[in-house]
Structures are given as structure tokens and as C-alpha cells.
Amino acid sequence: MPLSLHSAVPSGPIDQKWTRHKMDSRLINPVNKRKYSVIVVGSGLAGGAAAATLSELGYRVKCFCYQDSPRRAHSIAAQGGINAAKNYQNDGDSVSRLFYDTMKGGDFRSREANVHRLAEVSLNIIDQCVAQGVPFAREYGGLLDNRSFGGTQVKRTFYARGQTGQQLLLGSYQALSKEISRGGVEMFSRTEMLDLVVVDGHAKGIIVRDMVSGKISAHAADAVVLATGGYGNVFYLSTNAKGCNVMAAYRAHKRGAAFANPCYTQIHPTCIPVSGDYQSKLTLMSESLRNDGRIWVPGSISIAEKIRCGDLRPGDVQEEDRDYYLERKYPSFGNLSPRDIASRSAKEVCDEGRGVAPTGLGVFLDFRDAIQRDGHDSISARYGNLFEMYEKIKGEDPYLTPMQIFPAVHYTMGGLWVDYNLMSNLPGLHVAGEANFSDHGANRLGASALMQGLADGYFVLPSTIANYLADQQPGAVTESHPEFKHCLEEVTGRVDTLLEIRGKRSVDSFHRELGLLIWDKCGMARSRDGLENALERIPEIRDEFWSNVRIPGSGEQLNQELEKAGRVADFLEFAELLCHDALDREESCGGHFRVEHQFTEDDAEVRDRRTQPGEAKRNDQEFCHVSAWEFAGVGTRPKLTREPLEFENVELTIRSYK
Amino acid sequence: MNLTLKVWRQETRDSKGRIEVFPAKDIPSEASFLEMLDIVNERIIAEGGAPIHFDHDCREGICGMCSLTINGIPHGPESATTACQLHMRHFRDGDTIWIEPFRARAFPVLRDLVVDRTAFDRIIEAGGFISVRTGAAPDANTTPVPKEEADRAFDSATCIGCGACVAACKNSSAMLFVSAKVSHLNNLPQGRPEKNRRALRMVQAMDEEGFGNCSNLYECEAVCPKSIPADNIARLNRDYALAAARNALT
Ligand SMILES: Cc1cc2nc3c(=O)[nH]c(=O)nc-3n(C[C@H](O)[C@H](O)[C@H](O)COP(=O)(O)OP(=O)(O)OC[C@H]3O[C@@H](n4cnc5c(N)ncnc54)[C@H](O)[C@@H]3O)c2cc1C
Ligand code: FES
């Protein structure tokens, strides 16, 4: 049966769609709401907000997370801020401008109606968070302060020092705690979802493992919400938390949910470089540093070599021997060029052999000129905590010697396919936050993920989920349904199989091997040859995993190696999906750069100076669509269905930041 | 560098624990403390042993998951630093390092260095929130909050809920944790309507969970990775006394 992808976008002018949709949405009366149960997997901004709000509305909610407390979801690590079109600065911001910036930032690969709704709802988010006590930065007059972020020309980012994600997450965690104490939400921490249960084509529950006792059990509900975050850890090294994984989304995919645009992955240009093969994760240095730091590498390979072996100090490199390559190539945006452009340029200069850091994979972010211009104190007032963090990790003082940075995987725009109601093609399965594919197209703008997670969780899902539930008989499916028993047996069997391999290699060694391969072949620059090579290598690594992984201990105890193994097993399948999508998309757009598709001197756009050689070249004729993939068996090419993207309110242009 | 680790091992919540000794050879000084443990675990697994279990997630000092007592100090020797942000260059070649869990009656050990801190969640559930429903909020700029007040609330709100304060206190008191949340919310105009109820209920929950009384030694402040000041405790005591008095009157 061909996959039917009905986007359910309401008709009418773009700025009235959401209002109309809410009016036309089904309502469930308060007495009946109590009869419906909803499972929410994830307690980050998207899941925490959704669980709390659904419970406030009267639904009975069960919420799950793998950490020891819902307060520790990875949203906690977001630093920079959250966008909203409040126009408190009176600098010309509006819902339409935020809508346009997000469409353009996403390189015209997102659904207009969803993005417009996001921009509309952004207003309510800030109100809600302030009412909860989120301590956003304020001006002396007592009103809220804003800063600006990459890819925009207005100040619309709300922030709480360098800890915006933490403060927003504590807000939703506290709302969730309020509902837990009221009895509306039952919370299951240290509980991992291992599978989705589908009954007669509808998502009706999940299989979970209690990570302390090891007990595997089933939970049924009238609808399931996945808010399980992104899949950046398929690269092993990323700025994500160690536990971030694709398991929940991928299990749903294997049960029939389409996975959309997995090849849209975001690489953040300013992270601390890798220092050795023991490295376990990468640390982001906030993008805001690019406001004052100048990015450079030596102009020649020989000078770069001297710096790498410690024979020359960066401060002693003469001005004429420095290449401020972003300022040179993009004079108007300079060091503030969008993330994908800044990242790719860093890779290029390192590939040429001009990289710094002992590994050759690093560039300088230098504050010397800013300190000379504005003084030590004002730089410290702006970035003090970031400089401290850098010094803690690298043991070098950025006031005295330039920081070393390198791009790292940071965010994943792709995710499970959802319609306007945030429901996947599997009825009953809803997906929120980074786990869905919905709003950022091929590239996400800074400070927009927090906005999307909270929009989905507080405002969109609680209103749209009734469109599904209203047609369901509450409590019709319970854990005693044979499908639950069947799924439980499958999951238990899989865990046992993993434990029985008793091979020689650790789980981490496989994850590292996979990560290196994917970073190399499906990272910042992708080619047909590289991707085809990866598609040959992945099944080999996977086969070795299933015959040679060593997981000490048993399943009936807290067993961290077993937890990791389950996640890595899924990454080893998911990686193939990622590469298939990257191979199929014969264009470059946003976070997806195919070396075969870049502008050259021969293109008219280069000749009339709208862009320059080496820039990403979209193919709007053939690729203005969402690629939604259906699972077709492990090791078998997944089945592609395209959802065409139509643009009525924006004009497709070359994304130029020159 | 080469080190000797003396690590707390305990199979389950109910089993008896003991210290085991592991060599940690050829550790790069640029590695983080948790990366050092990763390296040691790789070797334990290769030799057929059971790896050392410890909690961690973000590895950048913000999620509050890591919880190691290193050489007797929660999160180790560096001030204002979580265990995950501690780097090996702060140790010397040949050192012996003791690694134990965060110890407290209210934080039972689950395995090795992993403890159960759900008591903290239950304290928040008792009143660590503002009762506002989604959708009911007025425009964010309706109520100005003086910058100083907002900044003070922020300083308390940076608590990562790791529990180092409890582990450092000889009475295993959770007063720094509770007072930080009460200060954050009671300081803001939005939080004032529930001020009294919040203080009373959170303190009551804390007592019920088996945390002890404040020792007045402020070890908690010294180990707090976010440098939450202990004057929050005085503020909580005042809020609590006022709330209790008002309660007695009505
Ligand atoms: C270092 C860093 C800085 C960032 N800074 C910014 C910023 O300044 N502004 C911005 O807008 N965005 C930023 N982002 C992006 C943003 O933080 C995330 O995209 C967003 O917080 C994701 O929220 P979420 O709710 O979708 O998922 P998460 O917060 O990742 O939550 C996922 C939840 O799912 C649970 N879970 C996952 N798998 C399972 C499973 N199998 N079983 C049970 N539970 C499971 C987890 O326990 C967790 O509760 C940043 C990201 C990083 C990594
Ligand atoms: S692992 Fe998150 S604070 Fe240490």
C-alpha cells in the first residue's frame, strides 16, 4: 500500500490558518477528557510542556524519561536564547518577519503553514514562561531584554545569561511537577522506551525497560506522543548529551512511521576541537562569541605546521600571515555568517593543511583586537563565563591566547514526519520538538529550537491532539491486547540476544567507529562516492556488532553497557537511512552539502554576483519536497514518498549572506 | 599519567558495598575525569570485568546528573566545577584517587556510584512551582521586575539539582537546594501569592524525605558547582518562620 502523506494544512490565508484550525478542531468535554490517557515519551521542553499542559486540560498522562529526573533532559544545555516576535525593541520585528527569516534560514525546505504558526505562537511562549517565573534577562527599567542571533537583523532573542535552556526547562519541569503532585501525570524516570505498540494501524502504547530493576513492561494509552529529541549522536561526537539517542523515533519508524529528511543535520561552527581519541563529547562555545571574536588561520601551510608543533605562538604570527577567511569571503556578514557557511569554510581551510590545534582540525577565534578596542573588562562582562568554561576544558586563557574552535554536530532538523496536527502517518502517534521534522527545513536558525519545542508542547499539541482522540473510544485498547504480549516478547528476545553475544569489543568501540565513518562521509560535505562507500561499510560494522559486541552483566540489573548497546544497535541501522537520504537528495541546501552541487564560475548567478563559486546550489525544480522514508527491512533501501512543498507567501531566492 | 583508583562498588541497592582498587594507566592529562573513567572501563570490559557504573549525561556541567565524591569532596577538588568538567591535569602522576557516591540517607545507592535522588523531585512537587496554567498568562511585559530582583532570582535559579550540597553536609541537609528554589520563586512578583504555602510545604517534604537539619557549617556552599550562596538559607528560615506564624494565627 503506498504511503499516504496528508499534511492536513488548513485552507485560508496563511495568517488565519491556525486561528481557523483551532476553531474547527474537535473539542472533548472536560468530563470525557478524564477518560482519555496519553503517553508522553520525553521530558525536555517539548515533552515536559506537553505532559504538563495535557494534564491541566484533564487528560490522564504518563510521562517517561531516561534520566533520573525529568529536569535533566538535554534541553537543559541550551545556552543562547529563545526567539519570539514580540517586537519589544521596536526594531521592525513582526510575526511575518520571523516567519520569513525562518523560511529563508531553512533554505526554503519547510512547510509554510507550520512555520507561520510557530511565529504566531512564539508570542504566547514568552508570556507563559514569565508567568512561571523564568528569570529572563531584564533592562534597568524592569522590562525584558533582547539580543540578536545569527541569520537575522532584528533583536528578538530572549535569554537568561548563558543558561536559557536550563531556565526554560526548569519552568516546564516545575509545571510538570505541579501536575504530578495533583495526580494528573504519572512520571516514570530512569525508564527507557524500547518499542512502540501498534494495534490495528494505530499507536496505542509502548514497551519500556525500568533501567534500575531491568523489568520490561507494557503501557497502553489512547494516544502516544514522542518528544525524544534529536539523533545527532549517530556521529558519536556531538554537542548532545551522552544519552541522546534515536531509539524511540527509530522504533516507531520500524513500526510504520515515516522518517522525514534525515540528511538535514546541523553542524555548529564554534565548538572546542577534539583533542584525542578518548574524547567522549564536544562542547559548544556560544555563537555570541562571533560578535567580537575574529576567526583566522595562518595564510600558509608552513606557518600552520609551526603552530601545530608548538614552535610558534599564535600571538607572534604577523598580520599579513593571517587569513581572516570569513571576513575575506563574506565581507558583509563576516564572522557572523550562518552556521553552515562558517562550518564549511573552517573545514576547507583545514583540508588545505592550514588548520591549527595539534590534530590540524581547528581554527582560531581571536579576541585580541576586541580586547584592545573595548578593554579587558568589557569583554569579560560580555563573555566572562564562556572564557572560564573554555579555560576549564582547555587549560588555556583566551584573554592571552586565541581560542581554538572547530565545527561539531549540534542539531538535527530531520525527524519523524508529522502533519499539521503533529501526528505522524501512524494514527495516534504524535511527535513534538527536535524529534519531528516540522519547522526548520534544511537548516535551523539559532534560538529557534527552544521556541519550537515549547510551541509544540504548550500550544500546538494540546489543541490538535483532540482531533485524533475525539474519534477514539477511550480505553478501548489495554495491555492485555495480544499485540502488547507479542511486542513484549520481541523486545525481551532482542535484549536477551544482545546479552548472549558475549563477544570481544565494547559497545563504545562500535559507536566510535560508526561515528567516524558518518562524520567523514555524511558530515559537512557529502559526495556520491563517499555515501556509497558508507552504505557498504555500515552493514559490515553492524554485522560485527551483532556477532562480537561484549555486554557484561545481566538484564535484570542497572546495566549501562546494555542501555548503550540498545541505542548503538539502532544507530547502526539509522545511519543507513541517513546516507540513503543524503544520496537521494541531489542538491545542496542548508545543512546538506553535496560537493557535486555547488556554484561554479560557469553559473549565471556567479557571473551576475548574486553568489560565488563554492556556495550551496539548490535544485528547486526537482527537490522542493519533503523526503519521507518508510522502513523496508534491515539492510534494504527504505521506500521514499515525497510530500511536495508549495510556496504561496515567500519567493524562493538564493540564500545569500554576502 | 598513571594513577590508582579506589572505587566504591555495590551491585544493587540492597547489597553490601566495598572499595575496589583499579590501576588507571597512561591517562592523557587533557582528558576529563569522566573520560578517565571511560578509559578505565574500556579496559575492565576487555578483561572481562564489570565496568564501574556512574551517572552522567550532558558532560558540560549543567544537567546535574554526574555525582561523584572525589577524594572526599563532592565533585572533587576544583571549586565551582562539576565532576564532568574536572580535568585530569589537576591531578599528579602517581596519585591515588578515592571515588565514592554522593552519600546521604535520602540518596540510596543503586549501583556503584549511581544514587537515587528522586527525593529532590518530590520536594519540588510539594511546592517548587508557580501555579499558572498554560494559556492563562498576561503579556510578559505587564509586570516589570526590577533588574536587581530578577538577577537575584536568577542567581538562585541556577541550581542544577545535583545534590552535592547534601553529600557535603554532615547532617545530609537539603537546605541549600530547598532555599535556592524558594528564593528564586519567592523573590519574583509572580511567585509571591504562594510564598507562604511554598516555604511550609517544601520544608515539610524535605523533612519527610529524611534530610537532616542545617549544620550551619556551610559546607554546601563550598562544594556547590554553581556557587549558590548560603544566605538563601537565612532567607528560607525567615520565610518559613513568617509563614508558620501566619499559619498558627489562622
Ligand atoms: C549544547 C546545545 C546548545 C543549544 N542551544 C540552543 C539555543 O541557544 N537556542 C535554541 O533554540 N536551541 C538550542 N539548542 C537546541 C535545543 O536545545 C534542542 O533542540 C531542544 O532543547 C530539544 O528539546 P526536546 O524537548 O525536543 O528534546 P530533549 O530536551 O533532548 O528531550 C528529550 C527527552 O526524551 C527522553 N528520551 C529520549 N529517548 C528516550 C527513550 N528511548 N525512552 C525514554 N525517554 C527518552 C529524554 O529522557 C528527554 O527527557 C542547543 C542544543 C545543544 C545540544
Ligand atoms: S554530566 Fe551533566 S552536570 Fe555533569
Side-chain angles (χ1 to χ4, degrees):
Chain A
M1 207 175 62
L3 188 60
S4 96
L5 295 179
H6 176 55
S7 69
V9 170
S11 59
I14 188 127
D15 55 354
Q16 289 170 28
K17 284 183 197 285
W18 177 230
T19 313
R20 279 199 198 174
H21 190 68
K22 281 190 289 186
M23 272 304 291
D24 296 343
S25 283
R26 308 283 295 272
L27 289 178
I28 299 175
N29 79 46
V31 179
N32 283 338
K33 278 207 191 92
R34 247 175 278 142
K35 299 182 187 148
Y36 287 97
S37 59
V38 181
I39 283 172
V40 178
V41 189
S43 64
L45 289 178
T53 307
L54 289 168
S55 163
E56 285 171 7
L57 289 171
Y59 299 109
R60 284 182 292 119
V61 178
K62 284 183 178 179
C63 183
F64 298 81
C65 73
Y66 71 75
Q67 293 92 346
D68 70 336
S69 160
R71 68 179 288 153
R72 306 203 202 284
H74 192 52
S75 294
I76 199 106
Q79 305 173 349
I82 176 167
N83 288 330
K86 280 287 197 187
N87 195 27
Y88 283 162
Q89 303 294 327
N90 195 26
D91 57 359
D93 200 11
S94 63
V95 166
S96 333
R97 191 178 290 274
L98 175 54
F99 161 69
Y100 181 75
D101 286 348
T102 310
M103 292 299 298
K104 176 184 170 197
D107 223 351
F108 306 100
R109 289 293 175 266
S110 31
R111 236 189 244 146
E112 280 190 340
N114 285 57
V115 174
H116 201 277
R117 171 175 66 191
L118 176 64
E120 289 173 51
V121 168
S122 73
L123 307 174
N124 309 97
I125 295 173
I126 303 302
D127 301 341
Q128 185 61 31
C129 295
V130 166
Q132 289 170 342
V134 171
F136 283 123
R138 287 179 183 267
E139 297 165 346
Y140 281 101
L143 301 182
L144 294 162
D145 191 19
N146 295 112
R147 55 162 68 141
S148 61
F149 242 71
T152 61
Q153 282 161 336
V154 292
K155 271 167 77 164
R156 64 159 75 97
T157 305
F158 294 79
Y159 66 102
R161 280 188 218 156
Q163 283 142 268
T164 317
Q166 181 198 28
Q167 294 309 315
L168 294 173
L169 185 66
L170 291 180
S172 62
Y173 161 69
Q174 286 163 202
L176 181 64
S177 300
K178 161 176 77 72
E179 292 305 305
I180 295 171
S181 77
R182 206 183 53 78
V185 179
E186 198 181 344
M187 185 71 218
F188 298 83
S189 300
R190 287 200 202 267
T191 307
E192 187 160 49
M193 165 177 165
L194 299 187
D195 217 334
L196 180 76
V197 184
V198 179
V199 177
D200 300 329
H202 287 236
K204 287 295 171 198
I206 59 174
I207 306 293
V208 299
R209 178 171 180 272
D210 177 324
M211 293 157 77
V212 178
S213 70
K215 188 169 179 295
I216 297 176
S217 63
H219 294 264
D222 296 304
V224 176
V225 178
L226 297 189
T228 45
Y231 50 84
N233 277 353
V234 65
F235 293 87
Y236 185 66
L237 287 181
S238 83
T239 64
N240 285 4
K242 291 294 286 175
C244 290
N245 66 90
V246 76
M247 184 186 266
Y250 192 73
R251 296 275 123 198
H253 173 64
K254 287 182 89 166
R255 297 278 174 197
F259 211 106
N261 301 335
C263 79
Y264 294 158
T265 52
Q266 184 170 78
I267 316 272
H268 198 291
T270 52
C271 302
I272 299 179
V274 177
S275 56
D277 51 15
Y278 56 83
Q279 186 111 16
S280 61
K281 78 153 276 165
L282 296 170
T283 303
L284 174 81
M285 297 303 295
S286 168
E287 192 155 38
S288 62
L289 291 167
R290 294 200 277 147
N291 278 299
D292 285 296
R294 296 181 71 193
I295 295 176
W296 65 277
V297 289
S300 75
I301 299 180
S302 60
I303 298 182
E305 261 166 12
K306 280 193 199 141
I307 294 182
R308 287 200 290 269
C309 16
D311 293 343
L312 179 67
R313 293 186 326 136
D316 295 335
V317 177
Q318 297 301 312
E319 203 54 31
E320 61 270 22
D321 294 331
R322 299 172 173 216
D323 178 15
Y324 296 94
Y325 55 89
L326 285 177
E327 298 173 25
R328 173 168 59 77
K329 284 169 41 185
Y330 307 97
S332 60
F333 273 74
N335 294 301
L336 282 174
S337 306
R339 292 176 176 177
D340 50 335
I341 292 179
S343 297
R344 239 176 5 253
S345 306
K347 177 181 173 2
E348 273 164 29
V349 294
C350 293
D351 286 350
E352 289 163 24
R354 296 193 286 138
V356 295
T359 54
L361 298 175
V363 300
F364 288 128
L365 178 62
D366 199 337
F367 290 85
R368 184 194 64 180
D369 298 347
I371 292 171
Q372 260 166 26
R373 184 187 65 224
D374 300 340
H376 179 285
D377 290 353
S378 66
I379 293 301
S380 137
R382 260 170 250 166
Y383 309 113
N385 61 339
L386 295 168
F387 279 35
E388 256 169 52
M389 179 161 108
Y390 182 86
E391 189 172 0
K392 232 171 232 173
I393 295 172
K394 292 286 290 180
E396 284 175 358
D397 181 356
Y399 292 105
L400 303 176
T401 184
M403 284 186 184
Q404 293 173 5
I405 54 162
F406 198 65
V409 175
H410 179 57
Y411 181 86
T412 53
M413 281 73 69
L416 290 178
W417 183 90
V418 287
D419 66 9
Y420 191 72
N421 288 316
L422 300 185
M423 188 162 85
S424 75
N425 58 304
L426 272 184
L429 179 69
H430 296 73
V431 192
E434 193 173 335
N436 73 27
F437 89 108
S438 67
D439 297 347
H440 307 292
N443 177 50
R444 172 179 72 79
L445 288 182
S448 286
L450 301 180
M451 167 171 76
Q452 183 226 331
L454 290 180
D456 288 359
Y458 283 134
F459 297 104
V460 180
L461 198 72
S463 139
T464 57
I465 202 168
N467 288 326
Y468 171 74
L469 288 173
D471 289 329
Q472 303 298 308
Q473 174 70 30
V477 178
T478 66
E479 287 89 355
S480 57
H481 191 283
E483 199 48 49
F484 277 86
K485 191 164 164 278
H486 174 72
C487 199
L488 203 60
E489 278 166 10
E490 263 186 42
V491 169
T492 311
R494 189 177 145 93
V495 170
D496 291 344
T497 310
L498 277 171
L499 286 162
E500 279 156 18
I501 300 169
R502 302 261 169 237
K504 292 210 163 55
R505 280 180 61 185
S506 72
V507 178
D508 278 354
S509 74
F510 285 100
H511 197 176
R512 271 203 193 94
E513 185 180 357
L514 177 72
L516 276 176
L517 177 73
I518 302 301
W519 175 244
D520 191 32
K521 309 290 184 200
C522 198
M524 277 188 278
R526 302 157 176 182
S527 69
R528 168 162 289 277
D529 283 355
L531 291 165
E532 280 171 349
N533 178 263
L535 284 169
E536 274 168 32
R537 286 284 299 124
I538 298 164
E540 292 166 13
I541 305 176
R542 188 169 60 228
D543 288 348
E544 201 200 332
F545 175 88
W546 283 100
S547 61
N548 196 24
V549 72
R550 170 178 290 181
I551 305 165
S554 81
E556 283 87 48
Q557 59 178 164
L558 203 165
N559 187 337
Q560 294 177 328
E561 290 301 308
L562 178 62
E563 293 160 19
K564 286 194 275 185
R567 296 171 192 159
V568 172
D570 282 343
F571 278 135
L572 283 166
E573 293 180 20
F574 172 76
E576 242 177 297
L577 175 63
L578 174 66
C579 293
H580 277 300
D581 188 41
L583 192 57
D584 178 77
R585 189 164 281 277
E586 291 281 355
E587 66 165 347
S588 294
C589 60
H592 170 63
F593 188 80
R594 282 284 300 271
V595 294
E596 299 92 339
H597 303 287
Q598 45 185 315
F599 283 105
T600 64
E601 308 283 357
D602 300 335
D603 288 301
E605 293 87 342
V606 173
R607 271 182 271 120
D608 60 22
R609 309 188 69 108
R610 275 181 289 152
T611 185
Q612 56 192 29
E615 292 300 339
K617 190 173 181 183
R618 282 200 325 256
N619 178 347
D620 291 338
Q621 267 73 47
E622 286 173 273
F623 287 94
C624 251
H625 60 246
V626 175
S627 299
W629 298 91
E630 245 182 311
F631 181 72
V634 178
T636 309
R637 188 178 191 276
K639 216 171 125 269
L640 174 65
T641 306
R642 300 178 180 86
E643 180 204 331
L645 290 169
E646 281 144 29
F647 300 95
E648 291 167 1
N649 301 276
V650 296
E651 194 193 331
L652 275 63
T653 54
I654 302 182
R655 204 177 57 123
S656 166
Y657 290 93
K658 265 191 89 178
Chain B
M1 55 208 295
N2 295 314
L3 308 151
T4 305
L5 307 184
K6 298 205 164 176
V7 185
W8 183 259
R9 302 304 302 264
Q10 179 174 337
E11 263 85 59
T12 63
R13 183 194 282 255
D14 304 317
S15 50
K16 256 188 85 187
R18 69 207 171 274
I19 292 284
E20 270 181 23
V21 183
F22 296 94
K25 290 216 176 76
D26 301 321
I27 302 296
S29 63
E30 303 87 50
S32 72
F33 198 84
L34 300 190
E35 285 165 348
M36 182 273 292
L37 286 177
D38 291 341
I39 296 172
V40 172
N41 272 344
E42 281 281 313
R43 291 176 194 157
I44 296 178
I45 293 169
E47 286 160 12
I52 303 162
H53 280 62
F54 60 94
D55 262 332
H56 64 97
D57 203 24
C58 74
R59 295 201 175 191
E60 49 186 80
I62 192 74
C63 74
M65 193 93 179
C66 61
S67 42
L68 304 177
T69 300
I70 301 166
N71 288 337
I73 308 171
H75 288 308
E78 285 292 295
S79 74
T81 305
T82 53
C84 62
Q85 288 211 301
L86 178 64
H87 280 70
M88 294 313 293
R89 60 174 173 277
H90 297 295
F91 295 88
R92 272 177 320 212
D93 192 34
D95 275 358
T96 294
I97 306 176
W98 290 77
I99 312 175
E100 289 172 87
F102 278 6
R103 292 198 188 279
R105 185 154 67 96
F107 291 166
V109 172
L110 297 176
R111 184 170 182 186
D112 297 346
L113 305 166
V114 177
V115 299
D116 178 349
R117 287 169 289 186
T118 48
F120 269 12
D121 289 322
R122 291 187 290 274
I123 294 177
I124 299 293
E125 284 157 28
F129 50 77
I130 290 174
S131 300
V132 53
R133 300 163 61 90
T134 304
D139 182 85
N141 263 347
T142 314
T143 314
V145 181
K147 183 167 165 39
E148 300 74 25
E149 239 173 74
D151 286 350
R152 199 156 357 108
F154 180 89
D155 289 339
S156 316
T158 58
C159 167
I160 58 173
C162 63
C165 47
V166 173
C169 176
K170 72 174 169 58
N171 293 350
S172 300
S173 169
M175 277 300 268
L176 191 63
F177 170 77
V178 174
S179 66
K181 187 45 62 193
V182 171
S183 287
H184 161 209
L185 297 175
N186 284 12
N187 255 320
L188 291 169
Q190 303 91 300
R192 277 186 204 129
E194 291 169 289
K195 191 171 170 222
N196 295 330
R197 191 175 119 100
R198 178 175 302 118
L200 290 175
R201 294 183 57 168
M202 287 182 74
V203 169
Q204 188 192 350
M206 173 178 76
D207 292 343
E208 283 168 9
E209 292 292 342
F211 294 99
N213 292 323
C214 178
S215 66
N216 294 313
L217 294 173
Y218 303 128
E219 298 279 4
C220 51
E221 184 185 63
V223 300
C224 175
K226 296 294 142 182
S227 308
I228 307 258
D231 60 11
N232 282 315
I233 297 178
R235 209 171 301 134
L236 171 60
N237 283 332
R238 197 185 55 218
D239 282 3
Y240 181 81
L242 280 173
R246 191 151 303 154
N247 232 19
L249 289 176
T250 52

